[in-house]
mmCIF file of all heavy atoms in Angstrom:
data_model
loop_
_atom_site.group_PDB
_atom_site.id
_atom_site.type_symbol
_atom_site.label_atom_id
_atom_site.label_comp_id
_atom_site.label_asym_id
_atom_site.label_seq_id
_atom_site.Cartn_x
_atom_site.Cartn_y
_atom_site.Cartn_z
ATOM 1 N N GLU A 6 15.956 -0.490 -5.617
ATOM 2 C CA GLU A 6 15.279 0.338 -6.601
ATOM 3 C C GLU A 6 15.618 1.797 -6.372
ATOM 4 O O GLU A 6 15.943 2.242 -5.277
ATOM 5 C CB GLU A 6 13.758 0.191 -6.496
ATOM 6 C CG GLU A 6 13.191 -1.203 -6.735
ATOM 7 C CD GLU A 6 12.979 -1.946 -5.449
ATOM 8 O OE1 GLU A 6 13.615 -1.568 -4.433
ATOM 9 O OE2 GLU A 6 12.165 -2.890 -5.431
ATOM 10 N N SER A 7 15.486 2.561 -7.462
ATOM 11 C CA SER A 7 15.671 4.001 -7.404
ATOM 12 C C SER A 7 14.904 4.639 -8.555
ATOM 13 O O SER A 7 14.446 3.938 -9.467
ATOM 14 C CB SER A 7 17.149 4.383 -7.473
ATOM 15 O OG SER A 7 17.710 3.925 -8.687
ATOM 16 N N GLY A 8 14.753 5.955 -8.502
ATOM 17 C CA GLY A 8 14.150 6.660 -9.618
ATOM 18 C C GLY A 8 12.704 7.130 -9.396
ATOM 19 O O GLY A 8 12.142 7.836 -10.234
ATOM 20 N N GLY A 9 12.144 6.751 -8.277
ATOM 21 C CA GLY A 9 10.775 7.201 -8.005
ATOM 22 C C GLY A 9 10.707 8.673 -7.685
ATOM 23 O O GLY A 9 11.721 9.340 -7.517
ATOM 24 N N GLY A 10 9.482 9.199 -7.637
ATOM 25 C CA GLY A 10 9.319 10.591 -7.311
ATOM 26 C C GLY A 10 7.949 11.114 -7.712
ATOM 27 O O GLY A 10 7.056 10.302 -8.052
ATOM 28 N N LEU A 18 8.823 8.719 -16.301
ATOM 29 C CA LEU A 18 9.778 8.406 -15.231
ATOM 30 C C LEU A 18 10.441 7.108 -15.569
ATOM 31 O O LEU A 18 9.847 6.222 -16.171
ATOM 32 C CB LEU A 18 9.019 8.276 -13.909
ATOM 33 C CG LEU A 18 9.682 8.660 -12.603
ATOM 34 C CD1 LEU A 18 10.179 10.120 -12.636
ATOM 35 C CD2 LEU A 18 8.710 8.509 -11.459
ATOM 36 N N ARG A 19 11.732 6.949 -15.201
ATOM 37 C CA ARG A 19 12.404 5.679 -15.402
ATOM 38 C C ARG A 19 12.893 5.177 -14.058
ATOM 39 O O ARG A 19 13.658 5.841 -13.368
ATOM 40 C CB ARG A 19 13.593 5.812 -16.372
ATOM 41 C CG ARG A 19 14.169 4.419 -16.703
ATOM 42 C CD ARG A 19 15.299 4.496 -17.724
ATOM 43 N NE ARG A 19 16.593 4.762 -17.113
ATOM 44 C CZ ARG A 19 17.766 4.406 -17.654
ATOM 45 N NH1 ARG A 19 17.802 3.730 -18.813
ATOM 46 N NH2 ARG A 19 18.884 4.737 -17.058
ATOM 47 N N LEU A 20 12.450 3.965 -13.731
ATOM 48 C CA LEU A 20 12.903 3.318 -12.523
ATOM 49 C C LEU A 20 14.077 2.394 -12.805
ATOM 50 O O LEU A 20 14.137 1.825 -13.890
ATOM 51 C CB LEU A 20 11.754 2.497 -11.893
ATOM 52 C CG LEU A 20 10.434 3.256 -11.626
ATOM 53 C CD1 LEU A 20 9.455 2.291 -10.952
ATOM 54 C CD2 LEU A 20 10.660 4.498 -10.814
ATOM 55 N N SER A 21 14.955 2.275 -11.842
ATOM 56 C CA SER A 21 16.088 1.359 -11.938
ATOM 57 C C SER A 21 16.060 0.411 -10.764
ATOM 58 O O SER A 21 15.554 0.749 -9.678
ATOM 59 C CB SER A 21 17.394 2.129 -11.942
ATOM 60 O OG SER A 21 17.476 3.012 -13.031
ATOM 61 N N CYS A 22 16.661 -0.762 -10.956
ATOM 62 C CA CYS A 22 16.738 -1.791 -9.912
ATOM 63 C C CYS A 22 18.121 -2.409 -10.035
ATOM 64 O O CYS A 22 18.398 -3.133 -10.987
ATOM 65 C CB CYS A 22 15.643 -2.803 -10.075
ATOM 66 S SG CYS A 22 15.809 -4.265 -9.049
ATOM 67 N N TRP A 36 8.492 -6.505 -12.243
ATOM 68 C CA TRP A 36 8.061 -5.335 -11.504
ATOM 69 C C TRP A 36 6.651 -5.618 -10.984
ATOM 70 O O TRP A 36 5.771 -6.054 -11.698
ATOM 71 C CB TRP A 36 8.044 -4.090 -12.374
ATOM 72 C CG TRP A 36 9.415 -3.581 -12.752
ATOM 73 C CD1 TRP A 36 10.100 -3.798 -13.916
ATOM 74 C CD2 TRP A 36 10.263 -2.743 -11.954
ATOM 75 N NE1 TRP A 36 11.324 -3.159 -13.888
ATOM 76 C CE2 TRP A 36 11.442 -2.512 -12.690
ATOM 77 C CE3 TRP A 36 10.149 -2.143 -10.678
ATOM 78 C CZ2 TRP A 36 12.479 -1.693 -12.221
ATOM 79 C CZ3 TRP A 36 11.177 -1.382 -10.205
ATOM 80 C CH2 TRP A 36 12.330 -1.151 -10.959
ATOM 81 N N PHE A 68 4.346 1.416 -20.597
ATOM 82 C CA PHE A 68 5.533 1.059 -19.842
ATOM 83 C C PHE A 68 6.425 0.125 -20.672
ATOM 84 O O PHE A 68 5.908 -0.691 -21.457
ATOM 85 C CB PHE A 68 5.163 0.327 -18.549
ATOM 86 C CG PHE A 68 4.519 1.193 -17.496
ATOM 87 C CD1 PHE A 68 4.042 2.457 -17.761
ATOM 88 C CD2 PHE A 68 4.360 0.696 -16.206
ATOM 89 C CE1 PHE A 68 3.445 3.250 -16.789
ATOM 90 C CE2 PHE A 68 3.734 1.463 -15.220
ATOM 91 C CZ PHE A 68 3.282 2.736 -15.521
ATOM 92 N N THR A 69 7.731 0.222 -20.469
ATOM 93 C CA THR A 69 8.683 -0.649 -21.144
ATOM 94 C C THR A 69 9.686 -1.173 -20.133
ATOM 95 O O THR A 69 10.351 -0.383 -19.462
ATOM 96 C CB THR A 69 9.408 0.060 -22.270
ATOM 97 O OG1 THR A 69 8.479 0.585 -23.207
ATOM 98 C CG2 THR A 69 10.363 -0.876 -22.968
ATOM 99 N N SER A 71 13.176 -3.251 -19.395
ATOM 100 C CA SER A 71 14.447 -3.596 -20.081
ATOM 101 C C SER A 71 15.484 -3.915 -19.030
ATOM 102 O O SER A 71 15.246 -3.746 -17.827
ATOM 103 C CB SER A 71 14.911 -2.431 -20.950
ATOM 104 O OG SER A 71 15.196 -1.269 -20.168
ATOM 105 N N THR A 78 21.439 -4.401 -13.892
ATOM 106 C CA THR A 78 20.400 -3.441 -13.611
ATOM 107 C C THR A 78 19.138 -3.685 -14.453
ATOM 108 O O THR A 78 19.239 -3.917 -15.656
ATOM 109 C CB THR A 78 20.892 -1.994 -13.816
ATOM 110 O OG1 THR A 78 22.038 -1.765 -13.002
ATOM 111 C CG2 THR A 78 19.800 -0.984 -13.448
ATOM 112 N N LEU A 79 18.006 -3.602 -13.789
ATOM 113 C CA LEU A 79 16.695 -3.709 -14.407
ATOM 114 C C LEU A 79 16.077 -2.307 -14.501
ATOM 115 O O LEU A 79 16.284 -1.469 -13.610
ATOM 116 C CB LEU A 79 15.825 -4.648 -13.565
ATOM 117 C CG LEU A 79 14.353 -4.808 -13.962
ATOM 118 C CD1 LEU A 79 14.253 -5.663 -15.198
ATOM 119 C CD2 LEU A 79 13.596 -5.467 -12.788
ATOM 120 N N TYR A 80 15.293 -2.086 -15.552
ATOM 121 C CA TYR A 80 14.684 -0.774 -15.709
ATOM 122 C C TYR A 80 13.173 -0.896 -15.981
ATOM 123 O O TYR A 80 12.699 -1.901 -16.455
ATOM 124 C CB TYR A 80 15.295 -0.020 -16.905
ATOM 125 C CG TYR A 80 16.790 0.188 -16.781
ATOM 126 C CD1 TYR A 80 17.682 -0.614 -17.476
ATOM 127 C CD2 TYR A 80 17.311 1.208 -15.988
ATOM 128 C CE1 TYR A 80 19.038 -0.443 -17.392
ATOM 129 C CE2 TYR A 80 18.683 1.398 -15.885
ATOM 130 C CZ TYR A 80 19.540 0.591 -16.586
ATOM 131 O OH TYR A 80 20.881 0.764 -16.472
ATOM 132 N N LEU A 81 12.468 0.171 -15.663
ATOM 133 C CA LEU A 81 11.082 0.311 -16.073
ATOM 134 C C LEU A 81 10.879 1.734 -16.555
ATOM 135 O O LEU A 81 10.925 2.674 -15.752
ATOM 136 C CB LEU A 81 10.113 -0.022 -14.925
ATOM 137 C CG LEU A 81 8.633 -0.035 -15.336
ATOM 138 C CD1 LEU A 81 8.349 -1.210 -16.274
ATOM 139 C CD2 LEU A 81 7.721 -0.106 -14.096
ATOM 140 N N GLN A 82 10.692 1.892 -17.845
ATOM 141 C CA GLN A 82 10.409 3.209 -18.436
ATOM 142 C C GLN A 82 8.890 3.401 -18.419
ATOM 143 O O GLN A 82 8.162 2.577 -19.001
ATOM 144 C CB GLN A 82 10.926 3.287 -19.853
ATOM 145 C CG GLN A 82 10.585 4.593 -20.540
ATOM 146 C CD GLN A 82 11.291 5.800 -19.917
ATOM 147 O OE1 GLN A 82 12.450 5.737 -19.580
ATOM 148 N NE2 GLN A 82 10.564 6.892 -19.753
ATOM 149 N N MET A 83 8.438 4.439 -17.748
ATOM 150 C CA MET A 83 6.991 4.669 -17.598
ATOM 151 C C MET A 83 6.635 5.967 -18.278
ATOM 152 O O MET A 83 7.132 7.056 -17.905
ATOM 153 C CB MET A 83 6.622 4.742 -16.115
ATOM 154 C CG MET A 83 7.046 3.497 -15.333
ATOM 155 S SD MET A 83 6.494 3.518 -13.619
ATOM 156 C CE MET A 83 7.404 4.907 -13.003
ATOM 157 N N ALA A 92 1.953 4.482 -6.866
ATOM 158 C CA ALA A 92 2.183 3.241 -6.131
ATOM 159 C C ALA A 92 3.655 3.125 -5.686
ATOM 160 O O ALA A 92 4.484 3.880 -6.169
ATOM 161 C CB ALA A 92 1.847 2.018 -7.012
ATOM 162 N N VAL A 93 3.912 2.198 -4.799
ATOM 163 C CA VAL A 93 5.260 1.746 -4.558
ATOM 164 C C VAL A 93 5.565 0.671 -5.601
ATOM 165 O O VAL A 93 4.781 -0.253 -5.794
ATOM 166 C CB VAL A 93 5.416 1.162 -3.144
ATOM 167 C CG1 VAL A 93 6.807 0.555 -2.944
ATOM 168 C CG2 VAL A 93 5.142 2.237 -2.092
ATOM 169 N N TYR A 94 6.675 0.840 -6.269
ATOM 170 C CA TYR A 94 7.105 -0.097 -7.309
ATOM 171 C C TYR A 94 8.234 -0.950 -6.741
ATOM 172 O O TYR A 94 9.284 -0.448 -6.302
ATOM 173 C CB TYR A 94 7.529 0.645 -8.560
ATOM 174 C CG TYR A 94 6.343 1.162 -9.343
ATOM 175 C CD1 TYR A 94 5.620 2.241 -8.878
ATOM 176 C CD2 TYR A 94 5.924 0.536 -10.524
ATOM 177 C CE1 TYR A 94 4.514 2.728 -9.585
ATOM 178 C CE2 TYR A 94 4.836 1.008 -11.233
ATOM 179 C CZ TYR A 94 4.121 2.114 -10.744
ATOM 180 O OH TYR A 94 3.045 2.573 -11.449
ATOM 181 N N TYR A 95 8.022 -2.284 -6.826
ATOM 182 C CA TYR A 95 9.025 -3.220 -6.384
ATOM 183 C C TYR A 95 9.613 -3.974 -7.578
ATOM 184 O O TYR A 95 8.838 -4.365 -8.470
ATOM 185 C CB TYR A 95 8.437 -4.264 -5.461
ATOM 186 C CG TYR A 95 7.879 -3.783 -4.141
ATOM 187 C CD1 TYR A 95 6.502 -3.608 -3.974
ATOM 188 C CD2 TYR A 95 8.704 -3.571 -3.055
ATOM 189 C CE1 TYR A 95 6.000 -3.178 -2.777
ATOM 190 C CE2 TYR A 95 8.214 -3.156 -1.835
ATOM 191 C CZ TYR A 95 6.831 -2.956 -1.691
ATOM 192 O OH TYR A 95 6.330 -2.557 -0.484
ATOM 193 N N THR A 118 10.254 1.656 -4.503
ATOM 194 C CA THR A 118 10.423 3.085 -4.741
ATOM 195 C C THR A 118 9.043 3.699 -5.045
ATOM 196 O O THR A 118 8.255 3.124 -5.815
ATOM 197 C CB THR A 118 11.418 3.356 -5.876
ATOM 198 O OG1 THR A 118 11.676 4.771 -5.978
ATOM 199 C CG2 THR A 118 10.920 2.850 -7.219
ATOM 200 N N MET A 119 8.763 4.828 -4.456
ATOM 201 C CA MET A 119 7.429 5.455 -4.515
ATOM 202 C C MET A 119 7.326 6.310 -5.753
ATOM 203 O O MET A 119 8.182 7.172 -5.995
ATOM 204 C CB MET A 119 7.178 6.259 -3.279
ATOM 205 C CG MET A 119 5.766 6.884 -3.251
ATOM 206 S SD MET A 119 4.526 5.626 -3.006
ATOM 207 C CE MET A 119 3.089 6.434 -3.722
ATOM 208 N N VAL A 120 6.258 6.104 -6.495
ATOM 209 C CA VAL A 120 5.947 6.936 -7.655
ATOM 210 C C VAL A 120 4.604 7.620 -7.361
ATOM 211 O O VAL A 120 3.601 6.921 -7.080
ATOM 212 C CB VAL A 120 5.858 6.104 -8.954
ATOM 213 C CG1 VAL A 120 5.323 6.962 -10.102
ATOM 214 C CG2 VAL A 120 7.223 5.518 -9.277
#
Side-chain angles (χ1 to χ4, degrees):
Chain A
E6 301 96 337
S7 60
L18 211 56
R19 188 177 85 154
L20 306 183
S21 299
C22 170
W36 288 98
F68 290 12
T69 302
S71 63
T78 302
L79 175 73
Y80 302 101
L81 185 68
Q82 176 66 43
M83 304 185 295
V93 174
Y94 284 74
Y95 296 101
T118 186
M119 183 70 204
V120 172

